[in-house]
Amino acid sequence: MEQSKNDLIAEINSLRTELNAVILAHYYQEPDIQDIADHVGDSLALSHKAAAAEADVIVFAGVHFMAETAKILNPDKQVLLPDLEAGCSLADGCPEDEFREFIAKYPDHKVVSYINCSASTKAMSDIICTSGNAVNVVASFPEGQPLIFAPDKHLGRWCSQQLDRELVLWDGSCEVHEQFSEQRLVDLMLAHPDAVVTAHPECTEKLLQYAHHIGSTASILDYCRDCEVQEIIVMTEPGIIHQMQKENPDKKFITVPGADETCNCNECPYMKLNTLQKLRDCMKNRAPEILVDESTRQKALIPINRMLQIKR
Ligand code: 13P
Ligand code: SF4
């Protein structure tokens, strides 16, 4: 028999105490998961929270690369992910062997990798970045230092434009941010002429040209809080609307649909695999657990720690 939401929440709360666990949730998680988490944040904030975690168990309500990063930072803690299938098209689109061959073609280049990649890609990188600090991470290298940026070509291109700096880009993308429809965005802008547009840098260049603000999910939330305009068109995964509406109950947030009207393609299918029930189950069963081979972990830790030293 299906349990009531209140029973599930009560069970998660008692398991959190029993396990001495901390629950971290990304803004793209369903509202109930965001509300029960100890910390809700973007990839960067959650990496800092994972690095500082004092709990014995880290429950990561997000996708695999996020939980894996938490494990790399905390080899002695148990890291749980509600659904092991919660992957990411960027991480999956950068296989270890192909990436090794790619970077071998550019021996003078340093490698900047977006955190949305596997531990083995991180282990081949000089520094990690998130969408919240990518520009500062790239700028931390001297002007003359050639750089590879992987695996998101859209975030890489956006950084390159911000800094007027050439980057060699790996050809990867986010399957969610890549499919926002230009026509439907324009229709929304016409229907809401006073609205501003805010977007995540994983979107295509064509769509980003309409945005008044571009940034990570945390930066988008800051913008929505600070902005005087009452109507905001949001071009990122709609899970973030929950926090926006909580913080700004009087503002109107409008999501941009995907090109295909028959599906909810603007929702991340991986993030949405996690449910309150699976969150409870993973704490109860202490599985699925994230494990990282020790030699890969040690190599991947170095570029992650370098990133954590960089300001946002
Ligand atoms: P943030 O860096 O904004 O958390 O984005 C993560 C992500 O997966 C975006 O699709
Ligand atoms: Fe990966 Fe895109 Fe989902 Fe973010 S929204 S986890 S980048 S597939």
Side-chain angles (χ1 to χ4, degrees):
M1 196 182 71
E2 206 165 294
Q3 254 181 306
S4 79
K5 188 164 102 181
N6 286 347
D7 287 350
L8 273 175
I9 290 172
E11 209 180 331
I12 291 169
N13 282 330
S14 77
L15 283 162
R16 171 164 33 204
T17 308
E18 195 185 307
L19 269 55
N20 186 25
V22 64
I23 303 175
L24 306 181
H26 191 268
Y27 291 127
Y28 296 163
Q29 292 294 286
E30 63 175 51
D32 290 336
I33 294 183
Q34 294 189 39
D35 288 345
I36 205 171
D38 294 284
H39 305 286
V40 189
D42 69 351
S43 303
L44 183 57
L46 294 176
S47 301
H48 280 286
K49 289 292 178 200
E54 284 180 359
D56 296 321
V57 176
I58 299 174
V59 184
F60 216 120
V63 290
H64 189 275
F65 74 81
M66 296 178 175
E68 198 173 51
T69 303
K71 183 63 182 179
I72 292 165
L73 287 160
N74 294 283
D76 299 330
K77 297 188 196 301
Q78 186 173 44
V79 178
L80 304 171
L81 180 67
D83 191 318
L84 211 48
E85 297 298 312
C88 169
S89 67
L90 279 165
D92 295 345
C94 190
E96 182 176 353
D97 291 346
E98 285 174 42
F99 191 58
R100 189 176 291 104
E101 278 175 37
F102 180 75
I103 59 178
K105 288 193 231 152
Y106 304 95
D108 300 336
H109 288 55
K110 299 277 189 198
V111 180
V112 180
S113 291
Y114 188 28
I115 197 163
N116 299 38
C117 67
S118 66
S120 55
T121 298
K122 290 184 176 75
M124 287 184 261
S125 307
D126 292 288
I127 191 163
I128 302 305
C129 70
T130 74
S131 59
N133 62 11
V135 170
N136 287 345
V137 167
V138 170
S140 72
F141 288 91
E143 272 297 331
Q145 173 61 58
L147 298 173
I148 289 172
F149 190 99
D152 187 7
K153 63 180 176 189
H154 298 302
L155 177 63
R157 183 208 60 251
W158 179 71
C159 287
S160 159
Q161 290 166 346
Q162 298 301 297
L163 295 166
D164 192 18
R165 183 164 180 166
E166 198 176 316
L167 298 173
V168 172
L169 304 178
W170 173 267
D171 186 12
S173 58
C174 161
E175 67 181 52
V176 180
H177 287 83
E178 212 176 29
Q179 56 70 51
F180 285 114
S181 155
E182 183 180 17
Q183 185 56 56
R184 300 182 81 184
L185 172 62
V186 170
D187 290 347
L188 284 172
M189 291 175 76
L190 289 172
H192 303 271
D194 295 331
V196 286
V197 178
T198 180
H200 197 280
E202 288 175 9
C203 295
T204 61
E205 186 171 17
K206 200 168 60 168
L207 278 275
L208 286 184
Q209 69 178 342
Y210 296 96
H212 299 87
H213 169 263
I214 299 169
S216 73
T217 45
S219 155
I220 290 176
L221 273 166
D222 291 345
Y223 177 79
C224 291
R225 202 178 304 122
D226 297 342
C227 136
E228 303 281 314
V229 180
Q230 292 302 303
E231 285 189 318
I232 305 174
I233 299 175
V234 180
M235 211 158 29
T236 191
E237 214 273 358
I240 197 171
I241 303 291
H242 180 58
Q243 294 298 325
M244 287 176 173
Q245 214 63 78
K246 269 171 96 170
E247 291 181 7
N248 311 277
D250 298 332
K251 291 184 184 168
K252 182 177 167 76
F253 298 101
I254 305 152
T255 54
V256 183
D260 181 351
E261 293 184 37
T262 62
C263 76
N264 291 336
C265 333
N266 62 356
E267 290 194 349
C268 175
Y270 311 105
M271 288 279 184
K272 295 301 194 260
L273 282 175
N274 295 332
T275 60
L276 213 48
Q277 186 155 349
K278 288 184 198 171
L279 183 66
R280 187 278 313 272
D281 289 347
C282 85
M283 294 174 82
K284 197 169 161 182
N285 304 328
R286 298 189 75 153
E289 180 179 3
I290 301 296
L291 299 169
V292 182
D293 151 77
E294 182 56 15
S295 121
T296 309
R297 189 194 72 79
Q298 286 184 16
K299 289 186 200 131
L301 181 61
I302 298 166
I304 294 173
N305 276 335
R306 284 192 189 125
M307 170 187 83
L308 293 176
Q309 305 303 318
I310 301 262
K311 71 176 171 56
R312 214 179 170 90

